[in-house]
Amino acid sequence: MKAATGVNAPERKRMGMVPLFDPEEGTTILSPDGKGPGYWKGACSALYDDETGKFYLYYRIRSPRPMRGGECRIAESTDGIHFSDVWFAKKEEFSTTSIERSALVKCLDGKWRLYISYVDPADNRWRTDLLEANDPKSFRPETRRKVLTAEDINGEGVKDPVVFIIGGMYYMILSYATKPVVQDEDKL
């Protein structure tokens, strides 16, 4: 199969270029619960834990509106292909209309964190909270603590965290939405 650049994957490899991703060569890990637009499992966060010798995968389950992001789960695997769920939470546990992408992290001290993003029931804007536990099976939504809200940034939301640990420092990247600019009608 030729890539959009006109150079196929084996040729790219021979030339020392990164091969393009071919989804037909991939392995499906999780399938959606339904067929058609709006059904999917994804918004993943994955990591390998040397201590347990297991892969851990956070994912959310999405259905068409009005359900949206109704549930999130953490699964574990010894081979990175076959996963078994070890934890889940439903959107009702966050009093939200939708759970978004979240970040699963094993901290340097051995504790586990789940930076969970969801629609804030207080104002219908995205927010990110923190759950902490001794293992990925023990997160409790009722113990969550605020990390960042839309109000904190004077915007429309903060969501979809990605967390990196580099050189002993924690770095978080978040998607955010600014407030729309309202134009003064008298000046138009």
Side-chain angles (χ1 to χ4, degrees):
M1 168 185 263
K2 293 273 184 182
T5 60
V7 180
N8 65 28
E11 184 66 10
R12 289 179 66 85
K13 190 172 185 178
R14 187 187 67 72
M15 295 169 61
M17 300 168 69
V18 175
L20 298 177
F21 172 70
D22 182 353
E24 291 183 17
E25 292 179 9
T27 300
T28 300
I29 303 296
L30 301 166
S31 296
D33 293 339
K35 295 189 184 295
Y39 286 102
W40 55 269
K41 290 181 180 175
C44 297
S45 174
L47 62 91
Y48 178 77
D49 180 29
D50 286 324
E51 190 176 313
T52 62
K54 293 181 182 177
F55 295 89
Y56 291 92
L57 175 69
Y58 164 92
Y59 65 98
R60 91 184 245 241
I61 300 172
R62 190 169 190 326
S63 300
R65 290 182 186 266
M67 187 60 167
R68 297 183 59 203
E71 189 173 326
C72 61
R73 298 181 182 181
I74 296 173
E76 66 180 17
S77 169
T78 55
D79 65 6
I81 303 291
H82 304 94
F83 283 85
S84 298
D85 293 333
V86 296
W87 178 85
F88 75 94
K90 294 188 177 279
K91 68 181 185 178
E92 291 80 10
E93 295 176 74
F94 296 91
S95 300
T96 186
T97 56
S98 184
I99 300 170
E100 304 295 322
R101 187 204 189 277
S102 300
L104 180 63
V105 178
K106 184 168 184 187
C107 299
L108 296 173
D109 64 3
K111 296 271 188 188
W112 289 79
R113 290 183 179 170
L114 182 61
Y115 292 91
I116 192 154
S117 153
Y118 60 97
V119 175
D120 193 333
D123 60 12
N124 270 345
R125 299 184 292 174
W126 302 311
R127 70 177 289 145
T128 299
D129 285 358
L130 169 64
L131 300 172
E132 292 183 291
N134 290 325
D135 63 70
K137 301 173 186 175
S138 302
F139 291 116
R140 296 177 42 222
E142 67 273 13
T143 65
R144 68 187 178 272
R145 297 188 326 254
K146 175 183 92 159
V147 172
L148 208 54
T149 67
E151 185 177 342
D152 294 335
I153 66 159
N154 193 29
E156 288 301 307
V158 285
K159 67 179 232 169
D160 303 338
V162 177
V163 177
F164 301 96
I165 303 172
I166 303 171
M169 297 287 294
Y170 294 77
Y171 297 88
M172 179 183 289
I173 299 171
L174 290 156
S175 298
Y176 73 96
T178 58
K179 283 187 176 179
V181 176
V182 178
Q183 298 207 4
D184 187 351
E185 289 184 24
D186 293 337
K187 294 182 180 180
L188 293 177

